[in-house]
């Protein structure tokens, strides 16, 4: 079972469209790492993902707070919490333990982490890695994304996204 995919996204609208497709396959208990330079489209993808999952309102970049929680309600009895981490300014692995961030990774949540390399010694292994690269696509400054799964659940999510 191939669990690596590459996709070109011509512009921000294409990134948001991909987020809608990915949202259809998102299930609780997923950890997704987002890699790429500043401005590569990581936060745009998270914003699109949250809106596609039903969040109404602004999506703040958690650059200074490190994490923003979003409760997504499917119906009266079913929901998940998506935790959007931005570890760009993360400096102290002891802070990870003292803040209780480890508890956010559970069967009822999806954790999406920008800049995971800043906390690589304390983070769990991701179910999915998404790497953004800026490139020229059809005369636009677009992105190429590479996705890889590292768990059975990650493989199921990516195959549901790409089939």
């Amino acid at each position: 079972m191939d669990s690596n995919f590459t996709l070109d996204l011509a512009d921000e609208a294409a990134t948001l469209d991909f987020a809608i497709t990915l949202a259809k396959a998102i299930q609780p208990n997923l950890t997704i790492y987002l890699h790429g330079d500043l401005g590569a489209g990581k936060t745009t993808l998270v914003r699109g993902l949250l809106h596609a999952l039903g969040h109404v309102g602004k999506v703040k970049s958690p650059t200074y707070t490190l994490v923003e929680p979003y409760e997504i309600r499917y119906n009266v009895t079913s929901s998940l919490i998506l935790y959007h981490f931005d570890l760009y300014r993360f400096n102290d692995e002891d802070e990870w333990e003292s803040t209780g961030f480890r508890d956010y990774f559970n069967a009822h949540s999806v954790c999406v982490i920008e800049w995971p390399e800043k906390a690589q010694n304390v983070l769990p292994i991701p179910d999915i890695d998404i790497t953004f690269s800026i490139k020229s696509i059809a005369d636009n400054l677009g992105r190429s994304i590479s996705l890889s799964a590292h768990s059975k659940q990650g493989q199921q999510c990516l195959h549901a996204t790409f089939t």
Side-chain angles (χ1 to χ4, degrees):
M1 180 186 293
D2 184 15
S3 55
N4 296 305
F5 299 90
T6 301
L7 184 64
D8 286 338
L9 304 170
D11 52 24
E12 182 176 340
T15 302
L16 295 171
D17 286 344
F18 173 70
I20 292 168
T21 303
L22 180 61
K24 294 174 185 173
I26 290 291
Q27 297 292 323
N29 202 25
L30 274 176
T31 299
I32 302 171
Y33 286 5
L34 303 179
H35 306 274
D37 292 335
L38 287 170
K42 298 180 299 293
T43 302
T44 299
L45 179 73
V46 176
R47 185 176 71 242
L49 186 62
L50 282 162
H51 288 156
L53 289 170
H55 174 72
V56 178
K58 286 191 153 196
V59 174
K60 299 186 293 183
S61 177
T63 301
Y64 294 99
T65 59
L66 297 181
V67 65
E68 287 289 335
Y70 297 90
E71 185 172 3
I72 308 297
R73 287 214 158 282
Y74 297 115
N75 54 47
V76 177
T77 59
S78 186
S79 67
L80 71 78
I81 297 179
L82 187 143
Y83 293 103
H84 177 201
F85 289 87
D86 184 334
L87 302 181
Y88 183 72
R89 298 190 187 284
F90 184 77
N91 292 315
D92 185 3
E93 290 180 354
D94 291 335
E95 179 182 9
W96 187 264
E97 296 301 327
S98 67
T99 57
F101 287 155
R102 184 179 307 281
D103 296 338
Y104 292 13
F105 296 80
N106 62 63
H108 306 289
S109 67
V110 173
C111 293
V112 181
I113 305 158
E114 296 185 45
W115 302 98
E117 55 278 0
K118 298 276 192 161
Q120 64 188 5
N121 294 328
V122 294
L123 288 174
I125 294 171
D127 297 293
I128 299 170
D129 265 312
I130 302 176
T131 302
F132 290 75
S133 302
I134 297 172
K135 70 183 260 188
S136 181
I137 301 171
D139 297 327
N140 289 323
L141 189 59
R143 279 101 183 103
S144 176
I145 58 171
S146 299
L147 302 97
S148 59
H150 303 286
S151 71
K152 183 174 177 114
Q153 189 171 4
Q155 289 173 342
Q156 290 169 343
C157 180
L158 291 186
H159 280 279
T161 300
F162 288 98
T163 56

